[in-house]
PDB file of all heavy atoms in Angstrom:
ATOM      1  N   MET A   1      74.503 105.761 125.363  1.00 36.00           N
ATOM      2  CA  MET A   1      75.130 106.342 124.157  1.00 36.00           C
ATOM      3  C   MET A   1      75.587 107.843 124.372  1.00 36.00           C
ATOM      4  O   MET A   1      74.935 108.553 125.182  1.00 36.00           O
ATOM      5  CB  MET A   1      74.042 106.190 123.098  1.00 36.00           C
ATOM      6  CG  MET A   1      74.778 105.572 121.853  1.00 36.00           C
ATOM      7  SD  MET A   1      73.643 105.519 120.479  1.00 36.00           S
ATOM      8  CE  MET A   1      73.485 107.265 119.890  1.00 36.00           C
ATOM      9  N   PRO A  14      74.547 116.346 110.540  1.00 40.00           N
ATOM     10  CA  PRO A  14      75.228 115.453 111.208  1.00 40.00           C
ATOM     11  C   PRO A  14      76.167 115.963 112.309  1.00 40.00           C
ATOM     12  O   PRO A  14      76.691 115.359 113.239  1.00 40.00           O
ATOM     13  CB  PRO A  14      75.993 114.598 110.197  1.00 40.00           C
ATOM     14  CG  PRO A  14      76.280 115.671 109.105  1.00 40.00           C
ATOM     15  CD  PRO A  14      74.945 116.665 109.130  1.00 40.00           C
ATOM     16  N   ILE A  66      84.748 108.570 109.977  1.00 95.00           N
ATOM     17  CA  ILE A  66      83.986 109.479 111.078  1.00 95.00           C
ATOM     18  C   ILE A  66      84.143 110.963 110.596  1.00 95.00           C
ATOM     19  O   ILE A  66      85.163 111.504 110.509  1.00 95.00           O
ATOM     20  CB  ILE A  66      84.589 109.306 112.364  1.00 95.00           C
ATOM     21  CG1 ILE A  66      84.542 107.846 112.847  1.00 95.00           C
ATOM     22  CG2 ILE A  66      83.933 110.181 113.458  1.00 95.00           C
ATOM     23  CD1 ILE A  66      85.336 107.581 114.095  1.00 95.00           C
ATOM     24  N   ALA A  79      86.148 119.296 119.511  1.00 97.00           N
ATOM     25  CA  ALA A  79      85.803 118.299 118.308  1.00 97.00           C
ATOM     26  C   ALA A  79      84.396 117.947 118.480  1.00 97.00           C
ATOM     27  O   ALA A  79      83.968 117.494 119.522  1.00 97.00           O
ATOM     28  CB  ALA A  79      86.694 117.166 118.476  1.00 97.00           C
ATOM     29  N   LYS A 155      70.324 122.568 146.858  1.00 96.00           N
ATOM     30  CA  LYS A 155      69.436 121.914 145.892  1.00 96.00           C
ATOM     31  C   LYS A 155      69.385 120.351 146.172  1.00 96.00           C
ATOM     32  O   LYS A 155      68.268 119.823 146.183  1.00 96.00           O
ATOM     33  CB  LYS A 155      69.763 122.164 144.449  1.00 96.00           C
ATOM     34  CG  LYS A 155      68.800 121.844 143.491  1.00 96.00           C
ATOM     35  CD  LYS A 155      67.858 122.967 143.148  1.00 96.00           C
ATOM     36  CE  LYS A 155      66.785 122.613 142.198  1.00 96.00           C
ATOM     37  NZ  LYS A 155      65.609 123.530 142.152  1.00 96.00           N
ATOM     38  N   ARG A 287     121.918 102.367 103.619  1.00 98.00           N
ATOM     39  CA  ARG A 287     120.693 102.404 102.799  1.00 98.00           C
ATOM     40  C   ARG A 287     119.687 103.511 103.544  1.00 98.00           C
ATOM     41  O   ARG A 287     119.122 104.147 102.591  1.00 98.00           O
ATOM     42  CB  ARG A 287     120.071 100.976 102.846  1.00 98.00           C
ATOM     43  CG  ARG A 287     118.923 100.823 101.997  1.00 98.00           C
ATOM     44  CD  ARG A 287     119.102 101.110 100.553  1.00 98.00           C
ATOM     45  NE  ARG A 287     117.983 101.145  99.759  1.00 98.00           N
ATOM     46  CZ  ARG A 287     117.583 102.077  98.785  1.00 98.00           C
ATOM     47  NH1 ARG A 287     118.544 102.922  98.448  1.00 98.00           N
ATOM     48  NH2 ARG A 287     116.422 102.001  98.207  1.00 98.00           N
TER      49      ARG A 287
END
Side-chain angles (χ1 to χ4, degrees):
M1 227 183 72
I66 303 171
K155 191 88 182 168
R287 181 65 188 140

